[in-house]
Amino acid sequence: MPPLAGARAGARGLGGWSRGARRACRIDTRDCRFDTRSAVRWARRAVAAAGCGLVRRLLPGPAMARLLQVAGVLALLAFTGGGVAAWLLTSEQVRVTIAPDSAGALDPDAPIARLEERVGVLETDLRGLAAALQSNLAALDTSWQERGDARAAPIGAALQRVEAVLAELRARPAGADGALGERLAAIERAVGALRAQPGSAAVAATAAAAGAAEESAPAVSTPVAVESPPPPAADVAAAPASTAVAEPTGGPAPQTAGEPAPRRASFLAFQLPSDDFRFDERRTWSVIASLSRVGFDARSTLHDFSGATSKLSGELTADLAHPGEAPTARIVVDATGLTTGLDDRDDAMREHLDTAAHRDIAWTMTGFAARRIDVDAQRIEGDATGALTIRGVTRELTMPVQMSIDGARRLVIDGQAPLRLSDYGVPVPNKLGVIAMEDEVTIWIALRARPAPRGAASAPPGGAR
Amino acid sequence: MRLGALGLAGALCGLGGCIPSNVVAVEDRRVVDDLGTVAWGPVARDDLRGLFHAIHLDGPLAGVLRSISYWFDADGTFTAAALFAGPPPSYRVLDGTWELAADGRLQLGAGAEPADVARSDDLLRLSGADGIVVLQRGVER
């Protein structure tokens, strides 16, 4: 296309655009309905009209100028009125909601909710703890009550015995025996201590020991030594309130029967159960064969000799502070284990004892009469009476014995008594009437026993001692 | 005849005289632990290695223990088995570390009190507030 023709076509295009614009700028007031689409459309037309006004202003003609001014004013008024009308129509249908700007924003109420939840959990736990504590306290109260009841009976009995002895002693002529006053004072001190602290087992044991000793003493001329009644301060080992305090230092601790209480690790690395050994507790002791020996001493025309063995077993059940209260004991010796140092003599001895038919020599204690009870030193002296069976023949035998507690808390029992072999049907050895053994021999015991576990039968001796 | 009888009696008396009296003295009737005469000395770390069995328990621990055995390893660990009196009697075992301090005290495990330890030949003596344990070196089979 030549340039001149292009210019003409451009002019025609501009003219066409101008005519279209003029037609578009005609204002039709009938379209001014107050709705959004009409307002928009009307606004478009107003803008077009404003554009047309600009065009018209470029064009000559006062009428056109006036018309455009009027149209512009009307357009502005219509635009403003349309906006106001649109706002009035839609204001009641619009709800303003302020939403969080993101999902991860912190809820100001969340920490409070968590705190409330934790408080609720704590309250639940606290209620559970309170219930458990109440239950445990109830069980503890029941346990203490039962324990107190169990202790009250022997203490009451001991108190009655002591008071009976006191009454008996007061009835005797004053000054009949020099030891009477001392004994009376000692017993009165014991009674006073007993009344002052009825829950103290050690004081009760001392008073009861005094009473038991009194029972065993047949006459005032053979006084029973009750040495150093323990002062109340010495009773902490037996006092329930003190045991718990003393437990961490290795003292005795409350212990359920048959259920050793665990404690700290000892130097052996093991946690050793507390050993609440008490001298005034009825308990079973098992003889430790490897640390025990029984035997006899015999005299003959030419030389004296002894026979001994550690082949034995035995048990003793007693309250050492009250050994006269229904003690039981049984010791069984394997007669084949007796040795005298000479094989020929041992053979002859077994033949005389008829060990093939009567292997065991047994002694069963039936009673104990205390002569001396020292609770502080944990020593007892007295006469143990029992039935001794040798070669199938049973005779009563009374043996003076001494009992004590050693450093390993073992019960050490020593005693001896004479007996005649002929009483038990044992032939007295005699060789040609020249070498004769005396009929009377002295039998002796040197035993060590360990406390058997509570509620269990004695176990066989172990390897370690 | 009389001379024969006298001779026989004399022979028997002479024979009897060859047999000494062996009456056990009263103070010797008890079974005595020979450990009282043992000369105890300090312990070196090498003395502790190996297997030990208790041959003597003394003190409060004797009331609750029947026996105890240890194996001390060279790497500072140990294992032990103790026979508790019960009821019923039962074995318990544990493992841990051992350390011999400069003051001669043996620490068995972290929570235990240190033990005074001494040695004599194949014997080892551990002592503490709960008593005394004498261990003898055992034979590994």
Side-chain angles (χ1 to χ4, degrees), chain A residues 165 169 172 176-187 209-227 369-374 381-383:
Chain A
V165 172
L169 291 177
R172 298 187 182 208
D177 192 326
L180 181 60
E182 296 178 6
R183 294 175 57 200
L184 191 58
I187 293 174
E214 287 294 334
E215 289 176 350
S216 65
V220 179
S221 58
T222 57
V224 174
V226 180
E227 296 182 351
R371 289 193 309 273
R372 180 188 181 94
I373 301 174
D374 189 339
E381 293 179 10
D383 295 326

Side-chain angles (χ1 to χ4, degrees), chain A residues 249-390:
Chain A
T249 61
Q255 186 175 11
T256 305
E259 188 177 339
R263 47 179 281 194
R264 59 170 171 66
S266 73
F267 68 93
L268 301 173
F270 286 92
Q271 283 195 344
L272 300 180
S274 297
D275 181 14
D276 61 342
F277 166 74
R278 297 205 318 264
F279 194 71
D280 61 342
E281 176 188 22
R282 183 175 179 84
R283 198 161 181 181
T284 297
W285 301 78
S286 300
V287 172
I288 310 169
S290 61
L291 288 177
S292 300
R293 190 156 53 185
V294 300
F296 65 89
D297 298 337
R299 289 184 293 273
S300 71
T301 308
L302 297 177
H303 55 266
D304 302 335
F305 64 94
S306 295
T309 183
S310 288
K311 284 189 173 182
L312 57 95
S313 62
E315 277 188 356
L316 165 72
T317 301
D319 180 347
L320 298 178
H322 314 91
E325 294 182 355
T328 62
R330 180 172 172 81
I331 298 171
V332 178
V333 179
D334 184 354
T336 63
L338 284 167
T339 56
T340 64
L342 287 177
D343 292 341
D344 292 342
R345 188 165 57 199
D346 292 346
D347 293 340
M349 175 179 60
R350 289 173 190 133
E351 185 179 337
H352 284 75
L353 291 174
D354 193 13
T355 56
H358 307 286
R359 185 186 182 97
D360 292 339
I361 297 174
W363 184 73
T364 303
M365 186 168 71
T366 56
F368 187 87
R371 289 193 309 273
R372 180 188 181 94
I373 301 174
D374 189 339
V375 177
D376 282 347
Q378 299 185 329
R379 289 181 61 86
I380 306 169
E381 293 179 10
D383 295 326
T385 301
L388 178 64
T389 301
I390 301 176

Side-chain angles (χ1 to χ4, degrees), chain B residues 46-127:
Chain B
D46 290 343
D47 298 332
L48 290 171
R49 296 174 182 172
L51 179 64
F52 292 90
H53 301 297
I55 60 170
H56 178 85
L57 304 176
D58 206 347
L61 60 85
V64 295
L65 277 184
R66 292 286 176 83
S67 184
I68 190 168
S69 298
Y70 288 92
W71 167 264
F72 296 105
D73 213 320
D75 64 357
T77 62
F78 77 94
T79 184
L83 178 59
F84 282 75
S90 61
Y91 269 107
R92 297 177 199 172
V93 297
L94 61 80
D95 304 316
T97 58
W98 64 273
E99 184 176 356
L100 185 63
D103 60 357
R105 306 192 84 188
L106 177 62
Q107 180 73 45
L108 294 176
E113 62 170 306
D116 293 323
V117 59
R119 184 191 73 90
S120 177
D121 293 333
D122 63 343
L123 299 179
L124 208 60
R125 187 185 67 182
L126 307 181
S127 58

